[in-house]
Amino acid sequence: MPKPEILRVGPYPERDQVPLDQPHTVLRYFKMAVPASFLNECGRAIRGIATRDELGADRKMTGAFPNLEINSVYEVGYDAVDLDSCRERSVRVTSAPDVLTCDVADLGVAMLPCQARGMIAADAWMRGGDRAREDLRPPKRRVHWARAGVLGLGRVGRQVARRLAGLDMEIAHTDLAPRDCTQDRAFIADPVELARHSDYLFVALAASDEIRRFVGREVVEAVGPEGTVINIRRASHIGEAALLNALESGALGCVVLDVFEGEPELSPRFLKPESVRLQPRHASGTVETRKAMGKLVRDNLAAHFSGRPLLTPAQ
């Protein structure tokens, strides 16, 4: 039997590409000189798509493949995939839930003391020879006993809360309903009130159209001029204009971001304030997790084309 033809929307590491090539005929969309021409001329052969969450597959792309059967995403998120188009044509969609949960929580919680204690600036201070000229740096903010708010206590939010407990922080959360409430983890139903209660507000909401721009001006400003917003989950959950306006006006103290609107582009306004910590969208970027993500893409494709149940169906 001929190998199933699949379209790879963006590049994968060689460790994932080689085993993907073996059972499939893989066409590389990102290397095509005239992608639109390919969609028109060769679309009938494509039975599967392998993509990444920030690249997805829009309605135009999925509509160009009349024999498309499956869209396998190399991340937990699939909001860049046109799910309506896939549902209309019974195209299966898979993602990689749980595989990267702990890595995302690790990075977010690691950035809290990094920002609070000024560790990145301190490293530059040491390397620049400033210690020889001036012995003391201004004191920073402590982390223990500070108040942390977790907006969304799903997979990632739970892991964030577990790690914050190890830092002896006072933890509260907001979700659709109270989750895992204990003496050390309170529930505050109103996101604005949670923000007002928090020295550090973690945005850990799952992807959903219903909560796009959920964190707007009111929530951001409630965190206050001494507070910090940390977003490692989805750029779409925060209105970037509200975030930037609050930073520039002094209404918000600090922000730590691993996700941005319009990626890979970045608003130049984020580069100016000293109160911004930027990460290159690498919360899942450990060798172990990236290997597991690539394997899950391949395993879902293999299950589909051999008639077995999908491992992690999104729909």
Side-chain angles (χ1 to χ4, degrees), residues 10-50:
Y12 284 172
E14 186 176 356
R15 65 170 177 265
D16 294 320
Q17 185 57 53
V18 172
L20 187 66
D21 284 341
Q22 291 170 353
H24 309 105
T25 298
V26 179
L27 302 176
R28 292 157 172 78
Y29 182 74
F30 63 98
K31 285 194 171 183
M32 293 169 185
V34 187
S37 250
F38 164 78
L39 295 179
N40 292 330
E41 296 169 12
C42 306
R44 297 192 67 82
I46 297 297
R47 296 177 60 194
I49 292 175

Side-chain angles (χ1 to χ4, degrees), residues 162-189:
R162 285 184 61 191
R163 286 153 177 76
L164 296 176
L167 294 172
D168 289 332
M169 300 186 76
E170 179 186 326
I171 304 164
H173 75 279
T174 289
D175 210 306
L176 298 177
R179 294 193 185 195
D180 303 335
C181 290
T182 65
Q183 184 177 358
D184 301 320
R185 189 185 300 172
F187 174 72
I188 299 176

Side-chain angles (χ1 to χ4, degrees), residues 190-237:
D190 181 7
V192 176
E193 186 56 36
L194 178 74
R196 192 173 290 119
H197 177 80
S198 302
D199 299 308
Y200 303 93
L201 180 67
F202 282 83
V203 182
L205 296 160
S208 166
D209 284 340
E210 288 74 19
I211 52 177
R212 289 181 70 84
R213 310 292 184 274
F214 189 81
V215 181
R217 180 184 61 81
E218 197 175 0
V219 172
V220 168
E221 293 185 359
V223 179
E226 300 296 324
T228 298
V229 172
I230 300 173
N231 187 15
I232 47 172
R233 197 73 170 92
R234 283 284 176 272
S236 59
H237 294 330

Side-chain angles (χ1 to χ4, degrees), residues 103-164:
D103 277 336
V104 173
D106 284 349
L107 182 75
V109 174
M111 288 303 296
L112 189 160
C114 184
Q115 173 64 19
R117 299 297 300 272
M119 293 165 64
I120 294 176
D123 180 84
W125 187 75
M126 290 291 290
R127 293 174 188 275
D130 289 326
R131 190 179 186 190
R133 297 187 290 273
E134 182 184 1
D135 254 354
L136 297 175
R137 277 177 50 77
K140 300 299 180 182
R141 304 299 296 270
R142 74 182 182 190
V143 172
H144 66 278
W145 303 342
R147 300 172 302 172
V150 183
L151 192 52
L153 207 67
R155 291 186 181 98
V156 172
R158 280 197 184 94
Q159 293 300 327
V160 165
R162 285 184 61 191
R163 286 153 177 76
L164 296 176

Side-chain angles (χ1 to χ4, degrees), residues 51-58 71-84 86-87 92-97 155 206-209 212 233-234 281 312-315:
T51 188
R52 304 199 311 260
D53 69 335
E54 78 277 17
L55 299 174
D58 60 18
N71 192 328
S72 189
V73 183
Y74 183 81
E75 280 276 5
V76 64
Y78 46 88
D79 36 324
V81 174
D82 191 308
L83 295 179
D84 289 338
C86 292
R87 289 189 193 101
R92 307 301 303 276
V93 179
T94 69
S95 66
R155 291 186 181 98
S208 166
D209 284 340
R212 289 181 70 84
R233 197 73 170 92
R234 283 284 176 272
R281 204 178 194 282
T312 52
Q315 72 166 38

